[in-house]
Amino acid sequence: MFRALLPQPAPGGTTARPARPSGTVRTCVLVVLLAATGIAILDMVREQTGTSGFLVGLGLALLPVAPLMAAFRWLGRAAPAPWAQLLFCFAWGACTAALIAILANNFATQWIAAATADPSDADQLGSVAIAPVVEESAKAAALLMVFVFHRRHFTGPADGFVVAGFTATGFAFTENILYLGNAYGQDLASDSGVLDSLTAATFFVRVVLSPFAHPLFTVLTGLGFGAAALAARRSQRVCLPLLGLALAMGMHALWNGSSQFGDHGFYAVYGSVMVPSFGMLVWLAVRMRRNRLRAVAEELAPYAAAGWFGPAEVPALASMPARALARDLARHSGGRAAARTVARYEADAAALALLRHRARRGGPLREPDFARRERQLLQRLWQRRATAAPALARAAVLEELLPPSFDPLPAPAVPVADAPAPPVVAGAAAVPGPREAGPGLRRSGPWTPARPAGPPSSRPCALPGGDGGR
């Protein structure tokens, strides 16, 4: 009976590996977990704040959510992550991480109070030493799951930045409901006015002055995971996320302990640490977005030279205004379905560029699944090109990304089943050949290497797995 539980030899004589849970099973488990923790945390917060306090806190806490999510989504638009993944991160922060933090913080504070017989010291120690460790670890769990189970969507620091931002925004949302709801309950008990109320003061500090506090802490963890995604050594892939987590805990502890630095300690920490750190992260976000677009231009140029993209598509794909314009043009000519097709084409093109960028930096060992993933992306791009290519070409002209005399329109597209596929890049075995691109595709004949039609690359490079240059 126990023998049946052991891995059995495969037909070739090797031991078969146990099957990993499918994506559907993992999704169902996560949905059930998030739903259960969401119900529990909402009931717990409502019990602490009262129904009226809960509703007031909920309404006020919603105000910074949309701007923060829009800002982090703006950063990720160059290579957008699936909305389902981002909403999972937000829900994890708002439900599971918040529930873990409340339970662990309450337990630790009560234990410290019982050990020291001083509730005030227990609250201060819990706020500075316990809360940062518990809260940042709970939020980091979402990043770890994305890093492990959705690695292809975790391509660098920009992805870590976005995932961490959505997770921390969700956590701050639930925490703001609790703080604002409790403040409103105290104002009701003391019959305070609106302007001099504790609710107004709490709203000003948490929503107006520091809505970026929790995202700022957790983004440091996200940058650590993003750097680990590009690291070549196993030790770096372990140490970099831990370093980011340690920095997040340290800054969180400094922020929580600022009130203990005297009457002006909060303002000193806010002005000398939080605001400069926030400004630095904004600068970093803009720089990462610009670098991603530059990578799209450089890495798609060899594919354009091989015929996978039209000569005007690469500059359009490397420009966010041109991408948005292409979607608008497709929507006006073909409706919402055409706009979605163009959006998916743009996302797949960016994913292909970043896949090639990582493989060139790390080599075949860093991207062992490069050929299969590249083949999938190229096939999807080729199927949607008839709709997306004209819109992108027109957008490139309207955005003045091409010389006025340049003809951006590609040759008339034909159905994929009858169209000859673009030839492979010379000397690059990793780009799938026409026979591999999909059923019914025929070889188009010999090809003579040419200069890339898109923006020129800064230096010659070969596709991963090949020894040829361009």
Side-chain angles (χ1 to χ4, degrees):
M1 180 177 70
F2 294 102
R3 178 179 174 83
L5 301 178
L6 299 175
Q8 299 299 312
T14 59
T15 301
R17 295 182 178 178
R20 295 179 61 183
S22 65
T24 304
V25 173
R26 291 199 301 266
T27 300
C28 292
V29 171
L30 289 175
V31 168
V32 172
L33 174 64
L34 292 175
T37 55
I39 294 172
I41 191 65
L42 288 177
D43 184 66
M44 186 178 298
V45 172
R46 187 197 60 79
E47 184 178 353
Q48 291 190 24
T49 61
T51 302
S52 59
F54 173 79
L55 294 176
V56 170
L58 177 63
L60 296 177
L62 277 172
L63 295 178
V65 170
L68 286 172
M69 293 177 69
F72 288 112
R73 184 62 173 172
W74 173 86
L75 169 60
R77 288 297 297 173
W83 264 112
Q85 176 180 300
L86 299 179
L87 293 178
F88 157 75
C89 292
F90 178 86
W92 179 275
C95 301
T96 309
L99 181 62
I100 293 172
I102 288 180
L103 294 177
N105 288 339
N106 287 343
F107 172 80
T109 302
Q110 292 174 5
W111 181 80
I112 296 172
T116 61
D118 190 344
S120 62
D121 286 347
D123 289 339
Q124 294 177 0
L125 183 59
S127 174
V128 176
I130 305 299
V133 175
V134 172
E135 294 176 8
E136 295 307 322
S137 298
K139 289 182 284 184
L143 281 67
L144 178 62
M145 284 187 282
V146 175
F147 185 79
V148 172
F149 294 110
H150 291 273
R151 189 66 167 270
R152 71 183 186 183
H153 297 307
F154 215 121
T155 59
D159 292 308
F161 201 114
V162 174
V163 171
F166 270 79
T167 306
T169 300
F171 186 91
F173 167 66
T174 301
E175 192 177 68
N176 284 340
I177 296 176
L178 180 61
Y179 277 89
L180 291 166
N182 284 333
Y184 181 76
Q186 294 182 36
D187 288 335
L188 285 181
S190 61
D191 196 21
S192 301
V194 176
L195 295 179
D196 59 345
S197 64
L198 183 60
T199 304
T202 304
F203 179 84
F204 179 74
V205 171
R206 298 191 63 86
V207 178
V208 177
L209 279 184
S210 59
F212 56 86
H214 272 289
L216 176 61
F217 307 145
T218 313
V219 158
L220 298 175
T221 307
L223 292 176
F225 275 102
L230 300 177
R233 299 179 181 178
R234 182 183 296 272
S235 60
Q236 293 176 332
R237 293 196 293 271
V238 173
C239 293
L240 289 173
L242 293 177
L243 175 61
L245 179 60
L247 292 175
M249 292 176 181
M251 182 165 285
H252 196 160
L254 178 63
W255 174 247
N256 285 359
S258 60
S259 59
Q260 301 180 26
F261 298 156
D263 294 338
H264 303 288
F266 169 81
Y267 299 103
V269 172
Y270 182 82
S272 62
V273 177
M274 298 294 289
V275 172
S277 299
F278 174 72
M280 185 177 298
L281 285 182
V282 170
W283 171 83
L284 182 62
V286 174
R287 182 179 178 85
M288 287 190 298
R289 190 175 191 260
R290 188 177 304 157
N291 289 341
R292 277 199 157 187
L293 292 174
R294 186 180 298 116
V296 168
E298 293 180 354
E299 302 297 349
L300 292 185
Y303 293 102
W308 289 103
F309 297 98
E313 291 179 61
V314 173
L317 290 168
S319 167
M320 296 307 297
R323 287 196 205 178
L325 180 57
R327 295 193 297 272
D328 290 340
L329 293 172
R331 184 180 298 107
H332 283 100
S333 61
R336 297 177 63 182
R340 285 195 298 268
T341 298
V342 174
R344 291 168 182 166
Y345 187 88
E346 293 169 351
D348 286 340
L352 176 64
L354 295 180
L355 176 71
R356 184 179 186 274
H357 186 66
R358 294 195 311 275
R360 279 206 306 113
R361 291 184 58 178
L365 295 179
R366 287 286 295 116
E367 291 291 339
D369 201 30
F370 174 82
R372 183 188 65 83
R373 178 66 178 151
E374 182 194 45
R375 188 181 301 113
Q376 291 176 348
L377 291 170
L378 287 172
Q379 174 65 19
R380 295 209 299 257
L381 288 165
W382 191 249
Q383 290 173 342
R384 296 171 178 144
R385 188 180 178 192
T387 300
L392 287 165
R394 182 62 177 164
V397 172
L398 294 177
E399 289 292 324
E400 300 181 351
L401 302 176
L402 300 169
S405 60
F406 186 80
D407 181 11
L409 295 179
V414 295
V416 176
D418 301 323
V424 295
V425 176
V431 178
R435 296 184 185 276
E436 300 175 310
L441 299 181
R442 301 189 300 272
R443 185 176 297 276
S444 60
W447 175 72
T448 303
R451 293 181 61 84
S457 180
S458 59
R459 56 188 175 85
C461 62
L463 289 177
D467 55 0
R470 61 171 179 82

